Amino acid sequence: MDLPSGLTPVDGLRPQTEASFAADPNAGLDFRLMADLMPTPCWMANADGYIFWYNRRFYDYTGTTPDQMAGWGWRSIHDPDMLPAVMAKWTGAIERGERFEMTFPLRAADGSFRPFLTRVEPVRNANGTVVRWYGVNSDVSGEVQLETRLSESEAALRAFFETTGIYTAIIDLDPDDFTFVLANRRMARFWGADGVTGRTARDLSGGRLPRSMMPAMHAAHVSGKPTTLEYPFNGPDGDRWFTATLTPMPTGRGGKPRLSIVSLDITARKDAEAALAQALETKDTLLHEVNHRVKNSLQLVTALLSLQAAQAREPALRSSLIEARGRVSVVASMHQRLYSTSAHDRVDLVSYLRELSVESAAAHGSGIALDFTADDELVLPLTIAVPLALVVSELLTNAFKYAFPGAERGTVRVTVHVVDGKVCLIIADDGVGLPPDFNLARAGSLGMKIVRSLTRQVGGTVEIEDNAPGAKFTVCAPTGIVTTPAA
């Protein structure tokens, strides 16, 4: 079919105003001729939703005339029961400038109704204002959703292609370059051109293609599957980072491999990742310094308590000061471990408790043996490790001091293991055992009060059993621990 002189297919695809359609019979003629041949009803509306043009298929299906359908006349071919919902959603989409999608029945020329999937795309100007709506009514009575989407109008597809916020293109591959077959405006602007169709990437970039780009593109073609690639690119706007999904397509011109590219600028994300890495490095440095200072401060407190204990004349006061020094030493040594490792907020509880148990046994200077058993290494947060270490210290002190009065032999056993997501600590002895009326909840000693309080703090429990002979304390606490098999 010949087009009027001076009218090109490109001219026909340019949006026309309602007035231009009425004033110039040739305005958008090629677009209208193309649209009239489409098997799918479609239409165009002004920004306020007033429909000023339908294609021939619409009139053929509905059996209506342009005068009947002009503006809001389309309501007459809708199911009255569905019309209020359609009106509410359509007017809402117009008010918000949002894409419209809904399935509803439309009356045919013979009076029957068929379901149609209707999609309406807004077209915006450079200021983001909606200037036109393109609508498509796709008959889905005998089609699957995929077939419906493939039959949507070229206008709706182009509106999506051009208004999407990502870089989109179709390319043909050469051994060390690629040629643009189609690209949206966003992609063209990135390459610093008004249009890139038919141009090669090396021509547009001055040969500055990332090394990883071409191998990844050819790998995507060979695999036949979508491939994701992240790469830096030095474009007209400076260094940027992108992520691109490369999807193989049917072979292009001259048998060349063809791919679609959907690319997103992730420079902001990469900058945020770099800032986060810097912040984490700074945090580690600060935590290292904090642990160093806390360790030094606690060691100073320990020294002061030792000095005070040495000068105390009353045995009870001296004993209390020594016990306080021991408790502070537990926390100080924990921070010493954190300071000497790269894990500034976690500690290997098994390794620490092993040393604590050995030091506690040596401090009491008796012939009581120590048996330490642990199935795994347990890396715990400081907020859990410190309370549990203090609990074990109190129970060890209690066992070494009171379980073997006058005896030269005996054994204190410490067991650390994980059961059902809980870390369990068992301190048992084969000594004289606890008094028959012993009750932890009513125990008045400071040590037992500390055990109760700290166990409660970490959401744990304490169980006391007769070890026949001796006593057995089992402390279990729920925790999100990281376990590593012992070497």
Side-chain angles (χ1 to χ4, degrees):
M1 184 178 294
D2 294 330
L3 294 173
S5 176
L7 189 64
T8 68
V10 175
D11 294 323
L13 289 175
R14 290 172 182 160
Q16 307 292 326
T17 64
E18 181 182 3
S20 68
F21 269 93
D24 182 2
N26 292 328
L29 178 60
D30 60 338
F31 173 80
R32 287 185 290 169
L33 291 175
M34 178 189 69
D36 279 342
L37 294 175
M38 292 178 61
T40 304
C42 59
W43 43 270
M44 290 188 290
N46 292 329
D48 61 1
Y50 184 96
I51 300 177
F52 62 85
W53 176 85
Y54 296 92
N55 70 343
R56 183 183 302 167
R57 174 59 182 159
F58 183 90
Y59 294 118
D60 289 344
Y61 172 76
T62 61
T64 60
T65 66
D67 289 340
Q68 291 172 328
M69 292 294 100
W72 298 86
W74 53 268
R75 291 176 292 186
S76 64
I77 62 170
H78 276 254
D79 182 344
D81 293 336
M82 287 286 294
L83 183 58
V86 175
M87 286 294 298
K89 188 167 183 177
W90 173 225
T91 55
I94 294 172
E95 291 174 359
R96 295 186 296 272
E98 295 177 348
R99 184 175 187 266
F100 175 93
E101 182 173 318
M102 189 175 183
T103 300
F104 46 74
L106 294 177
R107 190 180 66 231
D110 61 4
S112 63
F113 282 89
R114 292 187 202 171
F116 283 79
L117 172 64
T118 295
R119 289 192 176 99
V120 188
E121 290 281 352
V123 178
R124 304 177 187 274
N125 62 18
N127 296 324
T129 303
V130 175
V131 296
R132 180 149 304 120
W133 298 89
Y134 290 143
V136 179
N137 306 104
S138 300
D139 187 344
V140 295
S141 57
E143 299 174 338
V144 297
Q145 187 72 13
L146 178 60
E147 293 171 339
T148 301
R149 291 181 177 178
L150 291 175
S151 67
E152 286 183 350
S153 70
E154 188 274 344
L157 291 174
R158 180 164 293 278
F160 173 79
F161 189 70
E162 292 296 349
T163 59
T164 183
I166 56 180
Y167 303 84
T168 308
I170 296 174
I171 63 168
D172 283 344
L173 284 177
D174 291 311
D176 62 349
D177 201 355
F178 61 87
T179 303
F180 285 99
V181 177
L182 184 66
N184 65 356
R185 293 190 188 96
R186 188 177 183 88
M187 178 69 82
R189 285 196 299 268
F190 167 75
W191 290 88
D194 294 332
V196 295
T197 300
R199 299 184 65 179
T200 67
R202 291 194 181 276
D203 172 43
L204 290 163
S205 67
R208 299 189 308 272
L209 291 182
R211 292 182 178 179
S212 59
M213 181 177 286
M214 294 309 304
M217 288 182 170
H218 285 285
H221 165 68
V222 172
S223 72
K225 300 177 181 179
T227 301
T228 300
L229 169 69
E230 284 191 6
Y231 57 93
F233 194 86
N234 179 257
D237 298 328
D239 292 336
R240 312 289 297 175
W241 269 92
F242 292 87
T243 180
T245 299
L246 313 173
T247 304
M249 298 182 67
T251 303
R253 298 186 185 96
K256 292 182 178 181
R258 177 166 287 184
L259 299 174
S260 72
I261 300 178
V262 178
S263 189
L264 186 65
D265 189 328
I266 58 171
T267 305
R269 192 195 82 187
K270 286 291 186 179
D271 289 344
E273 289 175 353
L276 179 59
Q278 180 63 43
L280 290 174
E281 183 178 348
T282 302
K283 184 206 76 170
D284 286 344
T285 301
L286 291 175
L287 285 175
H288 187 77
E289 181 62 23
V290 166
N291 285 318
H292 176 59
R293 296 193 179 191
V294 170
K295 180 259 302 182
N296 287 344
S297 297
L298 291 176
Q299 286 179 341
L300 177 60
V301 172
T302 301
L304 291 173
L305 288 173
S306 297
L307 181 61
Q308 190 69 37
Q311 295 179 351
R313 296 183 178 181
E314 297 180 7
L317 176 58
R318 184 183 305 109
S319 177
S320 296
L321 290 172
I322 292 174
E323 290 178 359
R325 181 192 63 189
R327 291 165 185 139
V328 174
S329 295
V330 170
V331 182
S333 59
M334 192 75 75
H335 281 278
Q336 171 63 37
R337 279 179 166 268
L338 294 173
Y339 173 68
S340 60
T341 66
S342 59
H344 304 304
D345 57 354
R346 303 179 308 279
V347 68
D348 175 11
L349 186 65
V350 169
S351 175
Y352 177 77
L353 291 183
R354 182 180 286 109
E355 291 184 10
L356 177 65
S357 300
V358 172
E359 291 173 0
S360 182
H364 288 85
S366 64
I368 308 303
L370 173 69
D371 182 3
F372 187 95
T373 304
D375 296 332
D376 300 298
E377 293 182 355
L378 304 177
V379 179
L380 291 168
L382 190 62
T383 53
I384 298 174
V386 169
L388 290 180
L390 286 168
V391 167
V392 172
S393 177
E394 293 296 332
L395 294 176
L396 281 173
T397 298
N398 188 68
F400 281 116
K401 287 180 66 175
Y402 304 115
F404 308 98
E408 297 181 356
R409 295 184 180 275
T411 302
V412 174
R413 292 180 173 84
V414 178
T415 306
V416 185
H417 62 127
V418 176
V419 178
D420 297 331
K422 295 182 178 181
V423 54
C424 290
L425 313 170
I426 301 174
I427 295 87
D429 64 73
D430 54 4
V432 297
L434 296 169
D437 59 346
F438 179 82
N439 187 311
L440 181 63
R442 295 194 298 269
S445 69
L446 179 59
M448 291 299 104
K449 289 180 180 179
I450 290 174
V451 169
R452 289 200 310 265
S453 176
L454 292 180
T455 303
R456 211 165 34 239
Q457 177 180 316
V458 295
T461 59
V462 182
E463 293 183 1
I464 304 172
E465 303 174 51
D466 186 353
N467 203 33
K472 177 181 177 182
F473 289 79
T474 302
V475 179
C476 291
T479 175
I481 60 174
V482 179
T483 61
T484 304

